[in-house]
């Protein structure tokens, strides 16, 4: 195998040699001297049209440019004709404000942008000397750009690298535009000097994005410590295709993955991930004593068929579909949650599940899926929610201007919103409690589609016909009802976005991090950490008929999912799934886990479908028949541990941050105090039945940690019991210690 250093040496010689065959943009630019191809890219490269500068909504210092040069016609007029034509002086170009401020000759809030002897200064000056001519037209002349090489890999002390930007014009001509492109990085430790030299300030994995005219492309940048290469054959045998792709990437990073986790860790992990609960003591005992080689796969099948699986995944979908009482009412929430849960339980294909939601019409009570639209009262909100939840695309930035980090234009945004323009509501009654709150609805509604209506172009005021994202074909009135057209496109196996977005969402819930991260932010400038893995998962998902259970079974059967957590000496894998991510239990899981350990129920006993907080339909939990203050304490607990209020269609609303308030609630909060009280709980049962400490402790540990207590733990527990004033206080201290331990609070 060729040594890594030798490969990099060849690369640095190869790049300049390869680019010899491309035209020199510097010399060509002085001959061409065009506003669109030369001047605007250089202004962008200097950062003048960025959001914090003249590209902001109101500009800076009376000078406004379109954000990132998305509107060259506006920019030409602003530069040449604005400020009394003082920004460019064709008689004496060096007196142009555009140049004098950029080189710092006169005060400029943005500071010096380039030197007087730079290419930028000389080209812009020449353009002004030539009369500051506009382009023949303001449409981009670039078909695509590419980075050479498309990936940079640095090892050890290697910290600097070169990269070239090659533009392919509409005329098929290829030109090196490295000196004209703008660059952005995903990590501030990836740096670029004014001379165009790049560096990596630390070991990392990130990306570098190049922009030229209306095109952009990203390259992955990896710098790792000096480590010995790892042969792929030396890695553990893959359990399935997932491991092949993960191992290929780890081999490149020269990282040996973590070992397969113990049965105890796997049992607790997979039960939490698939059922949102702790395993029962009997389940733990049976699994740990089972000697069969396929017991893990059998456990997964068992968990997938339990009702808690649909409870947990109905909770996850209810969060991002904004299934909240305030905008839906309690009955609507319960019915919508029930519809989601039934869909998950019967393993309804996720594309059909999504299609039914998008095409939903009728009563919010008899057609529960229509409740999705009750929280989204305008076409733009519907478009943003559908794109983010079902396609993994964040369109919000394209509402007022072209998306600064992706391909979507303002026209794309409003044409996509046009699919939802004819959606309307018939409100039969609204018994809302707050008469001034326009977002509160209590009562039945019918979601219907009008025969006419459209979204208008914000620039021209003309109506826009809808268009699928990434497509050029317009959807005409005669093509049929727009929402039916959209739902069929979204559910199609040929949809370029849906399958990848959904497998990434499921991967996120099982690993704590998406292959694309954030999980619902697929864009050209946010590269997947393992592109081949994402594509393989998406293809398998489509082949399975978009089956959620099949996807979960495949992922949990991989060695990647069954890895142990990293040790202190483990190298950073840059999010490449070499180890299992340790993360806190979600709010509902934690409350139910404490309830299970203490054997105290705090959820509504009158509703058989809500015997746990994970299974609760809404964003608030009702406690049992105790005082109303208990409801407040329970919901304050859930809110403090990150339960979302469901006001956003985003996973980001659920927080995993550790706070001081959480510590206080676990140490001495009302919920903990009530659950540890003697009456009606585990402690009362232990005392009444006079259970031996070893037996009681064994049952507690199997439930809390899916393992047997050690001899030391048994001895310490006995010491606490015998030193306490009473067995009641002793067991309270023991259970308090269990639920406050890291092993309990974390999913390993």
């Amino acid at each position: 195998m060729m040594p890594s250093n030798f490969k990099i040496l060849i690369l640095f010689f190869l790049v300049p040699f390869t680019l010899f065959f491309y035209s020199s943009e510097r010399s060509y630019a002085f001959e061409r001297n065009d506003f669109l191809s030369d001047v605007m890219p250089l202004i962008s490269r200097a950062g003048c049209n960025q959001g914090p500068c003249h590209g902001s909504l109101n500009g800076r210092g009376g000078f406004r440019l379109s954000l990132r040069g998305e509107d060259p016609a506006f920019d030409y007029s602003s530069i040449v004709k604005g400020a009394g034509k003082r920004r460019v002086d064709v008689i004496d170009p060096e007196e142009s404000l555009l140049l004098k401020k950029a080189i710092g000759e006169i005060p400029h809030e943005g500071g010096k942008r380039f030197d007087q002897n730079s290419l930028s200064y000389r080209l812009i000056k020449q353009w002004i000397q030539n009369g500051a001519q506009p382009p023949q037209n303001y449409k981009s002349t670039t078909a695509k750009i590419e980075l050479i090489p498309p990936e940079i890999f640095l090892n050890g002390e290697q910290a600097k690298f070169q990269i070239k930007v090659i533009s392919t014009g509409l005329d098929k001509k290829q030109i090196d535009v490295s000196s004209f492109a703008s660059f952005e990085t995903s990590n501030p430790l990836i740096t670029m000097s004014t001379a165009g030299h790049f560096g990596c300030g630390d070991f990392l994995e990130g990306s570098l994005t190049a922009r030229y005219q209306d095109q952009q492309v990203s390259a992955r940048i990896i710098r790792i410590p000096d480590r010995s290469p790892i042969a792929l054959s030396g890695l553990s045998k893959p359990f399935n295709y997932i491991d092949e792709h993960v191992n290929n990437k780890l081999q490149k990073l020269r990282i040996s993955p973590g070992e397969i986790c113990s049965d105890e860790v796997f049992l607790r992990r997979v039960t939490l991930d698939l059922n949102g609960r702790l395993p029962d003591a009997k389940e733990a005992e049976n699994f740990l004593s089972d000697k069969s080689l396929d017991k893990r796969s059998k456990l997964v099948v068992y968990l997938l068929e339990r009702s808690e699986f649909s409870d947990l995944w109905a909770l996850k979908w209810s969060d991002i579909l904004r299934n909240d009482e305030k905008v839906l009412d309690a009955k609507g929430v319960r019915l919508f949650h029930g519809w989601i849960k039934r869909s998950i339980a019967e393993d309804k294909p996720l594309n059909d599940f999504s299609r039914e939601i998008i095409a939903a019409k009728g009563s919010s009570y008899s057609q529960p899926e229509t409740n999705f639209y009750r929280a989204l009262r305008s076409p733009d909100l519907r478009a943003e929610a559908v794109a983010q939840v079902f396609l993994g695309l964040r369109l919000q930035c394209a509402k007022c201007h072209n998306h600064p980090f992706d391909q979507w234009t303002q026209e794309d945004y409003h044409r996509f919103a046009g699919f939802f323009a004819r959606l309307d509501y018939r409100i039969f009654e609204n018994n809302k409690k707050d008469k001034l709150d326009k977002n509160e609805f209590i009562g039945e509604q019918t979601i219907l589609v009008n025969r006419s209506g459209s979204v208008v172009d914000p620039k021209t005021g003309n109506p826009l016909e809808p268009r699928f994202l990434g497509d050029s074909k317009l959807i005409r009135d005669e093509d049929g009802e727009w929402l039916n057209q959209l739902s069929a496109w979204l559910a199609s196996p040929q949809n370029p976005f849906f399958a990848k977005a959904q497998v990434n969402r499921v991967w996120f819930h099982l690993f704590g991090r998406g292959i694309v991260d954030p999980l619902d932010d697929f864009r050209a400038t946010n590269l997947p950490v393992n592109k081949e893995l994402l594509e393989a998962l998406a293809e398998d998902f489509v082949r399975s008929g978009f089956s959620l259970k099949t996807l979960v079974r495949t992922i949990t059967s991989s060695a990647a999912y069954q890895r142990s957590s990293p040790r202190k000496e483990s190298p950073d894998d840059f999010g490449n799934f070499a180890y299992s991510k340790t993360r806190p239990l979600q709010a509902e899981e934690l409350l139910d886990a404490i309830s299970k350990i203490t054997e105290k129920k705090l959820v509504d006993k009158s509703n058989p479908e809500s015997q746990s907080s994970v299974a609760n339909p809404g964003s608030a939990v009702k406690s049992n028949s105790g005082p109303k203050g208990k409801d407040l304490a329970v919901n304050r607990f859930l809110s403090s541990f990150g339960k979302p209020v469901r006001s956003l269609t985003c996973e980001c609303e659920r927080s995993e941050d550790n706070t001081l308030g959480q510590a206080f609630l676990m140490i001495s909060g009302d919920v903990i105090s009530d659950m540890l009280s003697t009456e009606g709980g585990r402690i009362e049962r232990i005392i009444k039945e006079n259970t031996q400490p070893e037996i009681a402790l064994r049952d507690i540990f199997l439930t809390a940690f899916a393992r047997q207590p050690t001899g030391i733990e048994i001895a310490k527990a006995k010491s606490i019991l015998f030193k306490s004033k009473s067995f009641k206080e002793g067991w309270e201290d023991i259970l308090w210690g269990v639920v406050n331990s890291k092993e309990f609070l974390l999913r390993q």
Side-chain angles (χ1 to χ4, degrees):
M1 182 177 291
M2 188 181 295
S4 176
N5 292 344
F6 186 61
K7 285 183 178 179
I8 295 173
L9 187 62
I10 289 178
L11 177 66
F12 278 99
F13 280 104
L14 184 61
V15 169
F17 180 75
T18 303
L19 296 179
F20 177 79
F21 293 98
Y22 297 103
S23 301
S24 171
E25 175 68 351
R26 286 172 176 256
S27 59
Y28 183 58
F30 281 101
E31 297 175 10
R32 179 183 56 202
N33 205 229
D34 177 68
F35 175 78
L36 190 64
S37 300
D38 308 318
V39 176
M40 278 301 300
L42 291 172
I43 288 175
S44 295
R45 185 180 175 95
C48 303
N49 54 19
Q50 301 298 303
C53 200
H54 300 291
S56 65
L57 181 62
N58 299 311
R60 282 294 180 93
F63 181 27
R64 179 174 169 241
L65 296 170
S66 65
L67 183 64
R68 300 174 184 269
E70 68 177 45
D71 189 346
F74 173 85
D75 293 341
Y76 178 83
S77 177
S78 183
I79 292 170
V80 176
K81 300 176 182 179
K85 299 185 178 182
R86 291 185 301 116
R87 293 194 179 106
V88 296
D89 187 338
V90 296
I91 304 300
D92 189 355
E94 293 185 354
E95 290 300 309
S96 301
L97 289 178
L98 186 66
L99 292 174
K100 297 183 77 172
K101 287 198 171 187
I103 63 174
E105 189 172 314
I106 60 177
H108 178 219
E109 186 178 349
K112 185 177 179 179
R113 308 313 300 171
F114 46 74
D115 295 323
Q116 191 166 357
N117 62 350
S118 66
L119 174 68
S120 297
Y121 182 90
R122 290 184 288 120
L123 267 174
I124 296 174
K125 176 185 173 183
Q126 179 178 309
W127 172 70
I128 297 173
Q129 283 176 331
N130 293 341
Q133 297 297 318
Q136 292 183 353
N137 64 66
Y138 289 98
K139 293 184 178 180
S140 172
T141 60
T142 303
K144 69 173 184 176
I145 61 174
E146 55 187 316
L147 289 172
I148 298 179
E151 181 180 276
I152 294 291
F153 186 83
L154 305 172
N155 185 31
E157 295 302 315
Q158 297 164 347
K160 296 181 180 179
F161 61 94
Q162 294 178 336
I163 202 162
K164 297 293 182 181
V165 185
I166 304 302
S167 164
T168 301
L170 298 175
D171 57 1
K172 308 298 183 183
K173 186 175 183 179
Q174 291 187 311
I175 301 172
D176 176 3
V177 295
S178 304
S179 300
F180 296 80
S182 304
F183 294 93
E184 291 182 359
T185 68
S186 64
N187 190 311
L189 294 173
I190 303 174
T191 59
M192 184 189 79
S193 69
T194 55
H197 299 138
F198 299 92
C200 242
D202 203 348
F203 304 117
L204 55 84
E205 180 170 353
S207 63
L208 175 71
T209 299
R211 307 177 192 278
Y212 179 72
Q213 290 193 355
D214 63 344
Q215 300 294 313
Q216 58 187 346
V217 66
S218 297
R220 185 160 294 283
I221 313 297
I222 301 174
R223 183 186 174 202
I224 65 170
D226 191 10
R227 292 193 284 254
S228 299
I230 298 174
L232 196 58
S233 59
L235 297 174
S236 59
K237 183 180 179 181
F239 290 3
N240 58 23
Y241 71 86
I242 289 174
D243 300 323
E244 294 175 0
H245 293 293
V246 171
N247 288 351
N248 284 335
K249 183 65 180 292
L250 294 178
Q251 184 194 33
K252 179 177 290 187
L253 298 175
R254 303 183 182 182
I255 293 177
S256 294
E259 299 174 350
I260 300 300
C261 65
S262 66
D263 283 343
E264 292 85 354
V265 169
F266 177 80
L267 171 62
R268 191 174 191 268
R269 176 191 300 174
V270 77
T271 307
L272 283 167
D273 287 350
L274 271 56
N275 285 182
R277 64 179 179 90
L278 297 177
D280 298 331
K282 191 64 177 176
E283 288 176 321
E285 189 174 33
N286 291 339
F287 180 77
L288 296 177
S289 62
D290 188 352
K291 303 302 181 183
S292 61
L293 297 178
D294 62 344
K295 67 178 185 179
R296 294 193 180 193
S297 59
K298 289 191 295 186
L299 173 64
V300 169
V301 172
Y302 164 75
L303 295 173
L304 288 172
E305 297 309 315
R306 285 184 62 101
S307 62
E308 289 94 336
F309 178 78
S310 51
D311 285 335
L312 178 63
W313 289 84
L315 169 70
K316 296 178 186 296
W317 276 101
S318 288
D319 283 350
I320 58 176
L321 295 177
R322 298 181 63 175
N323 192 17
D324 177 51
E325 290 91 342
K326 183 163 183 155
V327 291
L328 269 65
D329 78 19
K331 184 175 181 180
V333 166
R334 179 170 50 81
L335 291 171
F336 193 20
H337 179 271
W339 180 84
I340 296 171
K341 180 178 176 179
R342 288 191 301 275
S343 298
I344 300 296
E346 66 190 35
D347 200 21
K348 179 184 292 182
L350 275 186
N351 63 332
D352 287 345
F353 171 80
S354 305
R355 176 180 52 77
E356 291 174 19
I357 291 175
I358 302 304
K361 294 181 288 293
S363 165
S364 58
Y365 290 168
S366 61
Q367 299 294 129
E369 62 270 32
T370 60
N371 282 285
F372 172 66
Y373 287 123
R374 287 188 63 175
L376 306 166
R377 310 298 284 197
S378 64
D380 55 343
L381 288 178
R382 297 167 197 144
E384 291 172 8
V386 168
Q388 189 162 349
V389 171
F390 299 108
L391 304 175
L393 304 174
R394 297 186 180 184
L395 296 183
Q396 291 87 330
C397 289
K399 182 177 182 178
C400 303
H401 48 72
N402 293 348
H403 200 300
F405 306 113
D406 209 346
Q407 61 180 308
W408 311 119
T409 65
Q410 191 176 13
E411 181 183 350
D412 291 330
Y413 176 97
H414 290 285
R415 287 198 182 278
F416 189 66
F419 282 106
F420 307 95
R422 297 178 179 177
L423 203 65
D424 206 351
Y425 308 86
R426 180 176 292 125
I427 301 175
F428 294 101
E429 59 179 354
N430 188 2
N431 302 313
K432 61 182 181 180
K433 300 174 183 177
D434 186 349
K435 301 301 181 183
L436 300 178
D437 190 343
K438 296 181 180 180
N439 296 316
E440 185 179 10
F441 297 95
I442 300 178
E444 184 180 9
Q445 297 182 30
T446 294
I447 283 70
L448 51 90
V449 175
N450 293 323
R451 293 184 177 179
S452 62
S454 61
V455 167
V456 299
D457 189 324
K459 295 181 179 178
T460 66
N462 297 325
L464 293 172
E465 292 174 313
R467 183 173 66 199
F468 299 137
L469 292 171
D471 200 349
S472 58
K473 180 184 176 183
L474 299 180
I475 308 300
R476 310 290 183 181
D477 268 341
E478 56 269 22
D479 292 333
E481 189 177 301
W482 286 345
L483 283 181
N484 289 340
Q485 293 281 315
L486 177 64
S487 63
W489 169 77
L490 187 141
S492 169
Q494 285 72 46
N495 185 293
F497 311 108
F498 179 80
K500 290 181 181 179
Q502 299 315 313
V503 299
N504 193 58
R505 185 180 301 281
V506 174
W507 187 277
F508 164 81
H509 284 296
L510 295 176
F511 281 84
R513 186 189 190 281
I515 303 170
V516 171
D517 191 64
L519 71 98
D520 51 9
D521 192 13
F522 280 68
R523 51 184 161 83
T525 56
N526 186 32
L527 300 176
V529 73
N530 194 322
K531 179 181 178 183
E532 293 75 17
L533 171 62
L534 180 64
E535 291 176 348
L537 281 165
E539 291 171 3
D540 193 26
F541 184 50
V542 173
R543 281 195 301 270
S544 74
F546 298 92
S547 167
L548 171 62
K549 290 185 178 180
T550 300
L551 177 62
V552 171
R553 187 163 56 248
T554 300
I555 294 175
T556 53
S557 297
S558 68
Y561 176 80
Q562 299 181 34
R563 300 287 183 205
S564 55
S565 300
R567 300 174 180 175
K568 289 184 179 180
E569 66 274 12
S570 297
D572 188 351
D573 70 343
F574 308 124
N576 278 280
F577 315 112
Y579 324 104
S580 175
K581 179 183 178 182
T582 299
R583 59 184 190 267
L585 270 61
Q586 291 189 347
E588 298 90 341
E589 295 171 347
L590 178 59
L591 182 63
D592 289 345
I594 298 171
S595 176
K596 191 166 191 171
I597 293 301
T598 59
E599 295 183 356
K600 296 290 290 288
K601 297 290 185 181
L602 285 182
V603 292
D604 188 1
K605 293 181 179 178
S606 64
N607 185 359
E609 295 183 354
S610 300
Q611 287 296 292
S612 69
S613 54
V614 167
N616 188 69
S619 58
V621 173
K622 292 183 179 180
S623 68
N624 55 27
S625 56
K628 186 177 180 181
K630 189 177 292 185
D631 286 353
L632 298 176
V634 169
N635 286 294
R636 183 167 61 247
F637 180 93
L638 292 171
S639 176
S640 296
F641 280 91
K643 184 175 176 64
V645 295
R646 297 179 178 173
S647 61
L648 301 174
T649 49
C650 180
E651 302 278 3
C652 58
E653 195 179 15
R654 181 178 287 275
S655 172
E656 288 188 354
D657 294 338
N658 296 317
T659 67
L660 190 60
Q662 293 174 355
F664 286 142
L665 287 174
M666 289 301 299
I667 292 171
S668 58
D670 294 339
V671 171
I672 292 294
S673 298
D674 189 28
M675 284 188 168
L676 290 177
S677 64
T678 306
E679 183 180 355
R682 181 185 292 268
I683 297 176
E684 181 183 63
R685 180 173 62 80
I686 291 173
I687 294 174
K688 280 186 177 181
E689 296 176 0
N690 196 24
T691 307
Q692 292 295 316
E694 293 88 344
I695 297 175
L697 200 64
R698 177 177 173 276
D699 190 67
I700 291 169
F701 269 61
L702 282 171
T703 304
F705 310 127
R707 67 173 177 84
Q708 301 270 8
T710 66
I712 294 177
E713 288 167 335
I714 293 174
K716 286 185 176 180
K718 284 185 174 181
S719 176
I720 291 172
L721 285 173
F722 296 138
K723 289 180 179 179
S724 300
K725 294 180 180 178
S726 64
F727 270 11
K728 170 184 174 296
E729 290 186 6
W731 280 113
E732 285 180 354
D733 289 344
I734 290 171
L735 289 189
W736 182 93
V738 166
V739 300
N740 275 282
S741 66
K742 285 185 178 181
E743 188 177 358
F744 181 82
L745 296 171
L746 299 176
R747 173 266 191 209
Q748 296 184 47

